[in-house]
Amino acid sequence: MADIINLLPDNIANQIAAGEVIQRPASAVKELLENAVDAGATEIQLIIRDAGKELVQVIDNGKGMSETDARMSFERHATSKIQTIEDLFRIRTMGFRGEALASIAAVSQVELKTRLRGTDLGTYIEIDNSAVRKQEPCQTAEGTSIAMKNLFFNVPARRNFLKSNAAEMRHIVDEFIRVAMAFPQVQFTLNNNNTQLFYLEKGSLKQRIISILGQHYNARLVSVKETTDYMDVNGFVGKPETAKKTRGDQFFFVNNRFIKSPYLHHAIMNAFAEMIPADSYPLYVLFIDLDPEHIDINVHPTKQEIKFDDDKVMYAFVQSAVKHALAQFSITPTLDFELDPGIQQLDAINKPFTEQQQTQSASGSLYKTFTQANQAHVIDNSSNLKHWKDLYDIGKSDSFSTSRPAADTGRSSVSSPLYNEEPVPDATPRTSSFSASSSLIDERWQDTTIDQKVPVQVHQRYILSQIKSGFILIDQQAAHERILYERYQRALLDSPVPVQQNLFPQTLPLLPADAALISEMLPDLLVLGYDLEPFGNNTFVVRGTPADIQSGNEQASIEGLLEQFKNFSNDLKVNRREQLVRSMARNNAIPAGKSLTTREMQNVIDELFACAMPTSSPGGKYTYISFKLSDLAKMFG
């Protein structure tokens, strides 16, 4: 029998290895930026064309490479970071495995210019599909310039799997931001199609956060700083009011390397428990510094997932550090007594506290209770509180809850009047708000016919509506999301959403990445009712919005739409129009917690059952659940 196992040719092996490292243009951006940082650069430029498909170029002023090193850098597993096996457990650099440039050269055409500091001439190398086409001396600035052109030109099947330019550009910006955030002492610039998206000056971490995420965070950051013998944690978290419904502003760095850790994210969420809604995500930029021997960063091709030797210690320390920061700094609104004119007019502010008044106050029982040691729990029986039993008796007689013996059915009695089907003898007339509201509901239902019951809102989240066979319970947010989704789908096909022109057009400043994203969506946004016009410098003029957007909420609506779109573009493998429609539907849907009038509830019911698919929201969530009378009868025995 013939042998069947053969060694793969180098070019095939290189492409397989490249598939682990270079999955899209953003992967190359990450590797090239990290190499520039490792080279000691203080100024780094990233140049992008056609969302990285045509060109990804990184220019740095680092130490550069010699002629031999420049050639060796493209060999597989060639690195200056690792000499012995022990070095693998003391890694402080960003790159170390030596597969980045070899992988890039396997799937693209590469041009490298580099000059070692202190030398007169540099080196130019041209590589095509892992093969060196040209190598010669050249004149170039100190540092390194590496250009990756025509990504996946030799693997067209993989090129076809790339997403739209907007989606790929978003991934590139994400990688750029992660590296730039980790090294605020380095100047970074990003140019896309000859337009500058970012110019980040050297500065402090706080300045870097604000320049990337926006000026509105300037007064909304809380400093985190804890130091122990085992590890250090420092950085910033956002105040609770900065929490968003979508992810994106969460950054963990371990020894200056960006990582993804759902485990540590859970620790942050626990620290913010009861300060933010359960479905919101707080902003945080946290740097963890510890001995490299306590972590393993070589467990994932992109090095974004690492292992700690003691996860529980990390969890507890991060959680306590954030809790301590939130407790140490004022994160709740404070009363400003100097600015409130109403408070200034109070007698306690205007009139002096005389010695006679001080003596009278000090002799009172209340003063003594709070000033004498160990007396905070004492009740003064000499005060009017000795009649507290009389107050209890009065409240008892007025209570809406009247107990009565349980019927001999094996079930306990229910004292609320909503459940008493027959009058209780000698019961006191009930005037509480509980029984009043229940009687209003009863009247409202009695005034309608059997088949046309008035809908009722339950906890400002659900709509209860009676049908012949029982009743249905509608999730108002999911139902309205389905309604809007189908409305916007029709708009894209043949029925554009009416635009309500603003009397006074507003300017909308955006972050560079968001401005690039929204620029590509302008035609579709116009069909969906948003009339936006570029105004230069990452700013747009809002001339009109959909007619159902409340006046004054135009900016919040567009910003919310962007957040939803970015969330969908990461999670759903659908085209850009579908992402946009789903984003708009979710962003503009009636939120849980909003009170609805009877007419509004009835409109939701009518429009939901006029939909082509009324049973679920675009995301697959049930819009309503039906309850049959026969099922209810079984539930009640």
Side-chain angles (χ1 to χ4, degrees):
M1 184 176 178
D3 298 332
I4 60 174
I5 295 180
N6 301 304
L7 288 174
L8 285 172
D10 285 345
N11 63 324
I12 297 178
N14 286 343
Q15 286 193 8
I16 293 173
E20 296 181 357
V21 182
I22 309 301
Q23 300 167 354
R24 57 186 352 133
S27 307
V29 167
K30 172 183 181 295
E31 300 292 350
L32 295 179
L33 289 177
E34 288 180 348
N35 282 348
V37 169
D38 284 341
T42 57
E43 297 178 4
I44 300 175
Q45 300 177 54
L46 173 60
I47 300 171
I48 301 294
R49 281 208 299 267
D50 193 24
K53 299 170 187 175
E54 181 183 339
L55 173 69
V56 172
Q57 184 176 10
V58 172
I59 304 172
D60 68 66
N61 65 345
K63 59 186 178 184
M65 290 183 285
S66 66
E67 181 180 357
T68 303
D69 285 347
R71 179 69 176 264
M72 283 290 293
S73 66
F74 290 98
E75 298 295 327
R76 289 187 64 196
H77 306 306
T79 178
S80 62
K81 320 290 175 59
I82 302 293
Q83 304 296 330
T84 66
I85 189 66
E86 288 77 17
D87 293 340
L88 202 58
F89 303 100
R90 293 193 296 264
I91 292 169
R92 285 281 183 180
T93 53
M94 302 300 290
F96 59 90
R97 291 196 297 239
E99 85 280 38
L101 293 184
S103 297
I104 290 172
V107 291
S108 66
Q109 298 164 328
V110 178
E111 291 182 3
L112 171 72
K113 291 181 181 179
T114 184
R115 178 158 73 96
L116 197 63
R117 286 177 186 167
T119 60
D120 296 329
L121 278 178
T123 301
Y124 173 80
I125 295 179
E126 190 176 302
I127 297 180
D128 189 338
N129 194 14
S130 294
V132 178
R133 304 297 183 192
K134 184 186 293 186
Q135 179 174 346
E136 59 187 19
C138 73
Q139 287 287 348
T140 185
E142 286 186 351
T144 301
S145 167
I146 183 165
M148 182 192 77
K149 300 180 179 180
N150 302 320
L151 180 63
F152 299 141
F153 79 100
N154 54 347
V155 197
R158 292 192 61 193
R159 189 178 179 94
N160 291 337
F161 275 95
L162 294 178
K163 301 295 178 63
S164 67
N165 280 4
E168 293 299 339
M169 195 62 208
R170 182 68 205 170
H171 287 289
I172 289 173
V173 170
D174 285 344
E175 294 293 354
F176 175 83
I177 286 174
R178 290 163 182 171
V179 177
M181 195 79 83
F183 299 95
Q185 72 277 12
V186 178
Q187 175 187 299
F188 286 89
T189 58
L190 169 56
N191 289 276
N192 176 42
N193 295 334
N194 300 319
T195 301
Q196 188 174 84
L197 296 185
F198 285 94
Y199 178 77
L200 305 174
E201 285 279 11
K202 306 172 188 176
S204 66
L205 175 60
K206 185 174 183 180
Q207 290 170 330
R208 180 58 54 91
I209 293 172
I210 292 169
S211 61
I212 291 176
L213 300 182
Q215 189 66 33
H216 59 284
Y217 283 115
N218 190 21
R220 299 179 178 180
L221 296 176
V222 176
S223 176
V224 178
K225 189 171 182 62
E226 297 288 345
T227 302
T228 67
D229 294 337
Y230 181 75
M231 60 180 287
D232 300 337
V233 175
N234 67 85
F236 293 89
V237 296
K239 294 183 179 180
E241 64 263 27
T242 65
K244 296 181 179 179
K245 296 289 184 183
T246 53
R247 299 175 184 266
D249 295 341
Q250 293 78 39
F251 299 89
F252 264 124
F253 299 91
V254 174
N255 294 348
N256 274 24
R257 182 189 303 278
F258 174 81
I259 67 162
K260 294 178 180 178
S261 175
Y263 188 66
L264 294 183
H265 173 75
H266 190 269
I268 301 290
M269 296 299 289
N270 269 350
F272 274 89
E274 299 181 3
M275 295 184 191
I276 62 175
D279 58 347
S280 296
Y281 300 94
L283 173 148
Y284 56 79
V285 182
L286 293 178
F287 289 78
I288 299 172
D289 191 71
L290 76 165
D291 192 320
E293 292 186 357
H294 295 306
I295 59 176
D296 183 1
I297 58 177
N298 199 24
V299 297
H300 193 272
T302 65
K303 302 186 285 285
Q304 289 186 0
E305 296 177 13
I306 67 176
K307 286 185 177 179
F308 300 98
D309 61 2
D310 195 335
D311 288 337
K312 293 182 179 178
V313 169
M314 301 294 297
Y315 185 100
F317 192 81
V318 169
Q319 181 179 352
S320 62
V322 174
K323 275 190 173 182
H324 183 232
L326 293 174
Q328 186 176 3
F329 294 88
S330 176
I331 60 169
T332 55
T334 56
L335 291 175
D336 193 340
F337 293 99
E338 296 180 359
L339 299 180
D340 193 328
I343 292 177
Q344 299 298 321
Q345 303 304 318
L346 295 176
D347 288 349
I349 300 294
N350 282 329
K351 296 182 180 179
F353 192 36
T354 65
E355 290 186 9
Q356 181 181 358
Q357 290 173 321
Q358 292 179 34
T359 304
Q360 290 176 351
S361 297
S363 62
S365 60
L366 185 63
Y367 178 87
K368 292 178 181 178
T369 299
F370 281 95
T371 54
Q372 294 177 11
N374 303 319
Q375 296 296 306
H377 63 286
V378 173
I379 296 177
D380 186 357
N381 290 330
S382 64
S383 69
N384 290 334
L385 289 177
K386 63 186 179 181
H387 302 298
W388 66 273
K389 287 186 178 180
D390 297 339
L391 296 173
Y392 174 76
D393 291 337
I394 295 171
K396 186 175 174 183
S397 64
D398 286 341
S399 173
F400 63 77
S401 178
T402 307
S403 61
R404 59 187 174 118
D408 189 19
T409 60
R411 293 192 299 269
S412 61
S413 63
V414 183
S415 58
S416 167
L418 274 180
Y419 296 94
N420 292 340
E421 297 179 0
E422 55 190 29
V424 181
D426 303 324
T428 307
R430 295 167 180 79
T431 58
S432 71
S433 60
F434 182 90
S435 64
S437 61
S438 65
S439 64
L440 286 174
I441 293 174
D442 289 339
E443 287 175 11
R444 196 164 65 172
W445 279 62
Q446 289 165 3
D447 288 343
T448 56
T449 63
I450 293 176
D451 295 330
Q452 295 178 328
K453 296 297 182 184
V454 176
V456 176
Q457 194 175 23
V458 181
H459 289 291
Q460 297 179 331
R461 291 178 64 96
Y462 306 101
I463 300 171
L464 188 149
S465 179
Q466 182 168 310
I467 56 178
K468 286 184 178 181
S469 60
F471 68 91
I472 56 173
L473 201 58
I474 299 172
D475 184 320
Q476 67 186 41
Q477 184 170 352
H480 197 223
E481 198 174 324
R482 163 55 63 181
I483 294 165
L484 293 178
Y485 173 78
E486 295 200 4
R487 184 185 302 170
Y488 297 146
Q489 285 281 28
R490 290 192 299 271
L492 288 177
L493 292 174
D494 54 11
S495 306
V497 174
V499 178
Q500 179 174 286
Q501 295 295 331
N502 295 337
L503 186 59
F504 301 103
Q506 298 181 353
T507 56
L508 176 67
L510 295 173
L511 295 175
D514 291 342
L517 191 61
I518 210 167
S519 293
E520 296 197 14
M521 299 191 294
L522 288 178
D524 289 338
L525 284 172
L526 182 60
V527 175
L528 293 169
Y530 288 96
D531 185 2
L532 306 179
E533 182 180 317
F535 196 57
N537 197 24
N538 303 318
T539 303
F540 293 81
V541 176
V542 184
R543 300 198 178 279
T545 53
D548 54 358
I549 298 295
Q550 187 176 352
S551 179
N553 288 350
E554 294 87 356
Q555 181 169 342
S557 172
I558 296 171
E559 290 175 347
L561 170 61
L562 272 171
E563 287 299 318
Q564 291 291 350
F565 184 85
K566 287 185 285 186
N567 187 46
F568 275 121
S569 64
N570 290 334
D571 297 340
L572 294 176
K573 295 181 180 180
V574 294
N575 61 49
R576 190 183 69 191
R577 277 194 158 193
E578 176 71 7
Q579 292 172 11
L580 181 58
V581 169
R582 292 193 183 197
S583 302
M584 278 193 63
R586 178 168 293 185
N587 185 61
N588 296 336
I590 298 169
K594 179 177 174 60
S595 296
L596 301 178
T597 64
T598 302
R599 180 185 293 274
E600 288 171 336
M601 287 187 282
Q602 193 60 55
N603 285 343
V604 169
I605 296 170
D606 294 341
E607 291 188 44
L608 174 64
F609 289 101
C611 290
M613 294 182 61
T615 54
S616 64
S617 70
K621 185 179 179 181
Y622 284 124
T623 54
Y624 70 90
I625 300 174
S626 61
F627 295 83
K628 294 183 179 179
L629 287 174
S630 56
D631 294 334
L632 293 175
K634 291 177 184 177
M635 292 169 64
F636 283 99

